[in-house]
Structure formats: C-alpha cells, structure tokens
C-alpha cells in the first residue's frame, strides 16, 4: 500500500510538472520550431540524467560489490525498451507540438487527454482488462476535461486531427512503459528514450527548420524548464512509478496534467477561472479518487486472508510448548 501511494504521488507530481510546462512549450515556440524545441529539450533531458545514472551506479556497486555487471539479456531489453519508448515519445510529442500551431490550447488539452480512453481500449488487446470502476473514472474524467478545456464551438480541423493521433501514440507510450519498466532500470531507460527522441526530432529540425543560434539562446528559459523538469524529472518519474502501477490508473492520474495547467496558470499568471472550468477540475479529481477506491472483491479477499491468519494463530497457540 505504501508503494502504491508513493507511485501515485510520483505520477501526480509528473502531471503537475507537465501541466505547468505547457507555458514553457508555448513560450519556446515563439523562438524556435516544434522539432527544434522537442529535439533540444529531449537531448537536454538525457544529458541531465547522465550524472544521475553515474551516481546511482556507484551506489549500487558499493552495495553489491565492485564486480557487479549488468547481464547481456538485461542490457538488450533495456535498449529495446528505451528505443521503443523514444520512438513513441518522438512521434507523440511532435504531433502535439505541431498541432498546437493549428488549434486552440483548450481543445489541444482535451484531445491530448483522450489517451485515458485509448489506454484501456488498447489494454484489452494485451490482456490488461479494466474493471467497471476504472471505466467509470475514465468517463467522468473525459467529461471533466471537456468542461475544463473546451470553451468554444467544437469542430474538427487539421490541428485537432494531429492531437487525436498524438493521443493514440501517447497511449502506446504508456503501455510500452508498462511492459518494459518492471524489467529494466527506469532511469537508464528514460535516458535512452530521450536520446532516441532527440536524435529523431533532430532530422526534421535540420531539414526544415535550421534554427539560428540566437533563436535557441532566446528560448533558453523554456528549454531549460522543459528539458530539466518536464523531461529529465517528470518523464523519469513516470517510468519509475509505472513499474508497479496499473496502466489505466496511471493514465487517469496523468490526465491531471490539464487540471494542473489550469490551476497553475490561475495561481501564477492570475488567469481567471470560470465556474464551468472549476467544475471540470472537480470532476477529474473525483474520477481519480473513484478509480483508486478498493473493489468489493479486494476487500473480501483481505477479509478472508485476515480470518485465515487468525485461524492459523489459534492453531499454533494450541501447540505451543508451555
């Protein structure tokens, strides 16, 4: 239970950082193109994690001995997982970043958060079935995000289609992490995914955008925030926390990104929030709480385990030597 609370707390902190990073993403796009921003922030995230990996490696060797080596099979799984996550992250983040050029931020927030519906749908095909309680939480969260994000008439344009596709890709990213995270070192896999994402985004950056050094320097504050906090810290926490987290519940908690984006802009930038938006925030929070309530089967199972343990204790007391 303590580990579950810890993991959920890390996912909520991840959502908070991602939500506040929307400001950095928008500000950075004023100076550089979407592929440039994604490439540089991911490479910066990988660079930030290198000393962390070195420190953790030295600590592990001091505990397990100086001759501790990673098995070839584990190393292969680590690289496969990191490359798969990096490809998914590169495609999803690029679609999201380009889509922001053609649609409003409100609709973008809602459409991107559709991954909370896509994750359980895709999970059915890989044996990750969600219960009724989780589906109810997903539906409630979708309604809440709609009230929070969509303020104008809802119609589908080019940017919206890009956002919908990015939601599917981010759902795949969550499921890929769910598969590989329990098998490998989360920090190392996170570093590899950033390196892969940064390199992949650098190709269209060089071909189409060709950013000037002055423009990159002008965007250094948004890049530092998105690279160090959003990539280096938040995405790494996502990988570590998902080792023991159910993927649909993880996607629900991460959907708080849109809520935290609204709350941080209200608190920091003093943007006004309408009753409709606050109602949407409340619905999403309620959905997260609903999804984490223990089911009747789980409570009955715990009760039976408790009764069995009590019976065992009674039997052992009868055979105690006076």
């Amino acid at each position: 239970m303590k580990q579950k609370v810890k993991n959920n707390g890390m996912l909520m902190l991840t959502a908070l950082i991602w939500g506040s990073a929307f400001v950095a993403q928008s500000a950075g796009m004023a100076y550089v193109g979407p592929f440039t921003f994604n490439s540089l922030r991911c490479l910066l995230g990988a660079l930030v994690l290198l000393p962390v990996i070195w420190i953790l490696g030295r600590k592990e060797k001091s505990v397990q001995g100086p001759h501790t080596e990673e098995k070839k099979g584990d190393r292969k799984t680590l690289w496969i997982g990191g490359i798969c996550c990096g490809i998914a992250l590169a495609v999803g983040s690029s679609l999201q970043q380009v889509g922001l050029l053609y649609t409003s931020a409100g609709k973008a927030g809602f459409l991107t958060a559709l991954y909370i519906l896509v994750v359980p749908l895709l999970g059915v095909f890989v044996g990750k079935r969600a219960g009724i309680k989780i589906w109810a939480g997903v539906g409630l969260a979708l309604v809440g995000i709609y009230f929070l994000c969509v303020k104008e008439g809802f119609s589908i344009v080019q940017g919206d289609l890009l956002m919908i596709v990015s939601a599917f890709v981010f759902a795949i990213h969550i499921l890929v992490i769910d598969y590989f995270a329990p098998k490998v070192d989360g920090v190392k896999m996170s570093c590899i995914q950033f390196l892969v994402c940064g390199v992949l985004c650098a190709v269209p950056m060089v071909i189409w955008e060709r950013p000037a050094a002055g423009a990159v320097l002008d965007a250094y504050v948004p890049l530092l925030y998105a690279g160090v906090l959003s990539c280096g810290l938040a995405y790494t926490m996502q990988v570590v926390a998902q080792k023991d987290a159910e993927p649909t519940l993880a996607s629900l908690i991460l959907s708080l990104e849109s809520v935290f984006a609204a709350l941080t802009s209200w608190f920091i930038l003093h943007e006004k929030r309408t009753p409709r938006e606050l109602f949407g925030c409340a619905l999403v929070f309620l959905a997260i709480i609903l999804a984490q309530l223990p089911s009747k089967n789980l409570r009955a199972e715990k009760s039976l385990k408790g009764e069995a343990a009590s019976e065992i204790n009674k039997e052992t007391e009868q055979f105690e030597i006076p």
Side-chain angles (χ1 to χ4, degrees):
M1 181 59 69
K2 288 183 179 179
Q3 186 63 37
K4 181 180 179 181
V5 172
K6 179 181 177 182
N7 290 338
N8 291 347
M10 291 174 67
L11 289 172
M12 284 188 180
L13 182 56
T14 297
L16 172 60
I17 295 173
W18 284 352
S20 59
F22 252 99
V23 178
Q25 287 179 254
S26 299
M29 295 273 283
Y31 303 101
V32 295
F35 294 108
T36 301
F37 189 84
N38 274 340
S39 177
L40 294 180
R41 76 163 179 165
C42 285
L43 293 176
L44 183 59
L47 186 64
V48 167
L49 289 182
L50 288 177
V52 176
I53 293 172
W54 181 75
I55 293 171
L56 293 177
R58 285 178 60 89
K59 184 178 179 181
E60 184 179 356
K61 285 185 178 181
S62 66
V63 174
Q64 299 182 3
H67 301 292
T68 302
E69 292 185 1
E70 193 175 24
K71 296 179 181 179
K72 288 185 178 180
D74 295 339
R75 195 179 304 133
K76 181 180 178 181
T77 304
L78 172 66
W79 277 97
I80 292 174
I83 291 171
C84 291
C85 288
I87 293 173
L89 181 61
V91 176
S93 60
S94 295
L95 287 169
Q96 183 190 63
Q97 206 72 19
V98 174
L100 280 170
L101 297 173
Y102 303 104
T103 190
S104 66
K107 290 172 71 176
F110 172 69
L111 293 172
T112 301
L114 288 176
Y115 63 73
I116 68 174
L117 179 61
V118 180
V119 168
L121 287 175
L122 294 179
V124 171
F125 297 99
V126 294
K128 300 281 186 181
R129 297 184 181 274
I132 296 177
K133 179 166 56 65
I134 295 292
W135 280 107
V138 168
L140 192 61
L142 282 173
V143 174
I145 292 171
Y146 179 84
F147 278 108
L148 172 65
C149 299
V150 180
K151 305 174 186 64
E152 65 277 2
F154 196 86
S155 59
I156 299 297
V157 296
Q158 178 185 357
D160 300 332
L161 292 175
L162 292 175
M163 289 295 175
I164 292 172
V165 177
S166 75
F168 275 88
V169 179
F170 280 127
I172 293 172
H173 182 250
I174 290 174
L175 291 175
V176 170
I177 290 176
D178 177 69
Y179 179 80
F180 284 103
K183 302 178 181 181
V184 298
D185 185 296
V187 180
K188 290 180 181 178
M189 188 174 79
S190 187
C191 183
I192 294 172
Q193 80 162 341
F194 295 143
L195 181 61
V196 171
C197 181
V199 171
L200 289 177
C201 291
V203 176
M205 175 189 77
V206 173
I207 295 175
W208 293 312
E209 294 178 354
R210 300 178 184 177
V216 174
L217 290 176
D218 289 337
Y220 81 95
V221 174
L223 282 172
L224 282 175
Y225 189 89
V228 176
L229 290 181
S230 182
C231 284
L233 180 59
Y235 274 106
T236 303
M237 284 196 299
Q238 179 198 9
V239 172
V240 173
Q242 271 198 240
K243 280 191 174 185
D244 303 305
E246 202 277 326
T248 303
L249 177 59
S251 68
L252 263 175
I253 297 174
L254 292 174
S255 71
L256 285 169
E257 171 188 1
S258 57
V259 175
F260 286 132
L263 293 179
T264 51
S265 63
W266 173 45
F267 182 73
I268 297 174
L269 302 178
H270 305 291
E271 293 182 356
K272 294 182 179 180
R273 289 287 160 244
T274 65
R276 171 192 174 97
E277 293 170 329
L278 294 176
F279 176 66
C281 291
L283 286 181
V284 177
F285 276 115
L286 182 60
I288 303 301
I289 295 172
L290 173 65
Q292 296 184 73
L293 292 176
S295 62
K296 292 182 179 180
N297 292 335
L298 180 59
R299 289 195 294 265
E301 183 181 345
K302 289 181 177 179
S303 177
L304 288 174
K305 286 182 179 180
E307 292 176 4
S310 177
E311 290 295 328
I312 292 173
N313 290 335
K314 290 179 181 178
E315 291 179 5
T316 53
E317 286 175 0
Q318 294 176 5
F319 294 99
E320 284 183 355
I321 300 174

